[in-house]
């Protein structure tokens, strides 16, 4: 049976007010802002927006009210091809509101206000909606978590991709429930007790799942899968980064879309790495926030320029066949 959605995203949304500066300031000083923009944000929300911009059939679930931040987020998602019809009406709900300061090297610090955020519960996701998706993408930063949602998704046999950062009591339980585990190095070290990214991947992969991936920024990632259990290193594409905000989330969204369309873990990693690299490049600093999320055409063009034979001639037809419209 054909699924309605490739990826169903559940988790944190944020309205991000980004401020760009030449260098990050020390305390007690004044520094000029070179540019400002308002964009969508949040781990699961950015990932699902990335999947939508890439041409995926994407839907998002959150609890939003009738407030300015909620209206902004609904519009930002819809304009990027994401179905927002399953967002739950909650008079007290809404996205996070974040202030993000980005320096000229692409580094950023995030200051967020979670006052409006309300956690989605398992009752907010009908079983039919969950089963209408190939993949369910969940995130976790702080309590309360989406643990009961993850348990329901697992009962309905829909694979889970997780974006987990918060080191809380439920984080380890979410790790155990995740089918495609993609963790940043810092969280992987906490979850596994291993400082080295490769060792962390080896340790976390002892839990049977479809894939385990530990990302390490510009150093690439370590990964293994049920089909290829040996831990391998995948290099990141070397680019001039303008803004790293949302690069990890972009990786999650692109990876989730790729595996939803039946690409292998290896192909999905390369595809997601290219999408994240383009997000960091931000068109040479000409795009900001979600406006820098790459299209499928841009990702394929980037891979064509970066891959060497025979990898190019074998990978690109598979990506085009799996992801091209129609």
């Amino acid at each position: 049976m054909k699924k309605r959605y490739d990826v169903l995203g559940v988790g944190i949304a944020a309205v991000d007010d980004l401020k760009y500066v030449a260098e990050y300031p020390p305390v007690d000083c004044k520094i000029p802002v070179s540019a400002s923009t308002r964009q969508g944000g949040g781990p699961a929300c950015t990932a699902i927006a990335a999947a939508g911009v890439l041409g995926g059939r994407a839907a998002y679930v959150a609890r939003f009210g009738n407030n300015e931040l909620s209206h902004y987020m609904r519009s930002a998602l819809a304009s990027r091809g994401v179905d927002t019809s399953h967002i739950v009406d909650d008079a007290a709900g809404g996205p996070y509101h974040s202030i993000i300061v980005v320096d000229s090297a692409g580094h950023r610090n995030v200051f967020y206000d979670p006052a409006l955020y309300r956690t989605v519960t398992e009752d907010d996701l009908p079983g039919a909606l969950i089963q209408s998706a190939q993949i369910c993408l969940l995130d976790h930063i702080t309590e309360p978590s989406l643990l009961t949602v993850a348990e329901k998704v697992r009962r309905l046999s829909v694979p889970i991709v997780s974006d987990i950062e918060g080191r809380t009591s439920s984080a380890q339980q979410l790790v155990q429930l995740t089918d495609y585990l993609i963790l940043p190095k810092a969280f992987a070290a906490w979850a596994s007790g291993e400082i080295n990214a490769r060792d962390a991947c080896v340790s976390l992969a002892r839990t049977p799942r479809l894939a385990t991936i530990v990302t390490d920024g510009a150093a690439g990632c370590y990964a293994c899968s049920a089909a290829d259990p040996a831990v391998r290193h995948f290099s990141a594409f070397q680019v001039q980064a303008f803004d790293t905000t949302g690069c990890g989330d972009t990786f999650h969204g692109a990876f989730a879309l790729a595996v939803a369309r039946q690409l292998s873990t290896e192909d999905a990693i390369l595809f997601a790495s290219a999408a994240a690299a383009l997000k960091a490049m931000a068109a040479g600093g000409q795009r900001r926030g979600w406006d820098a999320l790459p299209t499928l055409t841009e990702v394929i063009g980037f891979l064509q320029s970066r891959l060497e034979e025979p990898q190019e001639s074998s990978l690109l037809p598979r990506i085009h066949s799996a992801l091209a419209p129609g």
Side-chain angles (χ1 to χ4, degrees):
M1 181 180 72
K2 184 177 176 64
K3 299 275 191 172
R4 180 179 180 184
Y5 301 113
D6 296 308
V7 189
L8 175 66
V10 185
I12 294 170
V15 174
D16 292 342
D17 287 319
L18 295 105
K19 308 293 182 181
Y20 293 86
V21 299
E23 58 184 6
Y24 204 79
V27 298
D28 299 326
C29 75
K30 298 178 181 179
I31 188 168
V33 172
S34 61
S36 299
T37 185
R38 170 167 280 193
Q39 297 283 342
C45 199
T46 298
I48 208 69
V53 173
L54 287 165
R57 297 167 301 151
Y60 180 68
V61 181
R63 300 186 68 89
F64 287 170
N66 186 25
N67 52 67
E68 188 265 338
L69 294 177
S70 294
H71 291 313
Y72 176 87
M73 187 55 66
R74 287 177 187 267
S75 176
L77 286 165
S79 68
R80 289 162 177 87
V82 177
D83 185 345
T84 62
S85 65
H86 305 292
I87 290 176
V88 178
D89 290 326
D90 183 336
Y96 281 40
H97 187 203
S98 302
I99 306 295
I100 303 178
V101 181
V102 185
D103 70 13
S104 59
H107 304 303
R108 82 284 190 275
N109 281 292
V110 180
F111 306 87
Y112 67 89
D113 178 0
L116 292 177
Y117 177 68
R118 300 293 182 272
T119 305
V120 170
T121 71
E122 67 273 22
D123 294 333
D124 296 325
L125 282 103
L129 173 59
I130 293 171
Q131 291 182 310
S132 72
Q134 289 281 9
I135 293 285
C136 188
L137 190 150
L138 309 177
D139 67 14
H140 176 57
I141 292 179
T142 187
E143 302 291 355
S145 74
L146 294 172
L147 183 59
T148 59
V149 170
E151 291 170 342
K152 183 173 183 177
V153 173
R154 282 298 295 268
R155 289 196 300 272
L156 294 171
S157 301
V158 175
I160 296 172
V161 174
S162 285
D163 186 351
I164 306 173
E165 297 179 26
R167 304 176 191 185
T168 69
S169 59
S170 62
Q172 289 282 16
Q173 292 171 275
L174 282 170
V175 166
Q176 299 301 311
L177 291 170
T178 299
D179 299 284
Y180 292 97
L181 184 65
I182 309 171
L183 299 177
K185 178 183 176 181
F187 180 88
W190 175 82
S192 67
E194 300 286 353
I195 296 175
N196 179 275
R198 184 186 187 283
D199 294 340
C201 187
V202 170
S203 176
L204 292 165
R206 294 191 181 108
T207 297
R209 59 173 60 90
L210 294 174
T212 302
I213 303 169
V214 176
T215 62
D216 192 12
C221 67
Y222 289 89
C224 62
S225 67
D228 187 3
V231 173
R232 298 172 52 194
H233 178 255
F234 293 81
S235 298
F237 293 103
Q238 299 303 304
V239 299
Q240 179 65 48
F242 177 80
D243 185 358
T244 59
T245 306
C247 288
D249 307 326
T250 301
F251 185 101
H252 278 80
F255 180 92
L257 174 59
V259 295
R261 294 289 185 89
Q262 309 305 313
L263 286 173
S264 69
T265 296
E266 178 180 353
D267 287 354
I269 287 173
L270 291 170
F271 179 74
S273 296
L278 284 164
K279 176 67 174 68
M281 291 169 67
Q286 299 303 305
R287 300 181 190 172
R288 313 281 185 175
W290 281 11
D291 292 337
L293 292 171
T295 65
L296 178 61
T297 298
E298 289 171 333
V299 173
I300 289 176
F302 179 87
L303 288 169
Q304 285 175 329
S305 70
R306 294 300 185 102
L307 296 180
E308 297 181 356
E309 292 293 350
Q311 190 176 37
E312 178 184 345
S313 60
S314 61
L315 173 63
L316 292 182
R318 291 197 297 273
I319 289 177
H320 189 271
S321 175
L323 296 173

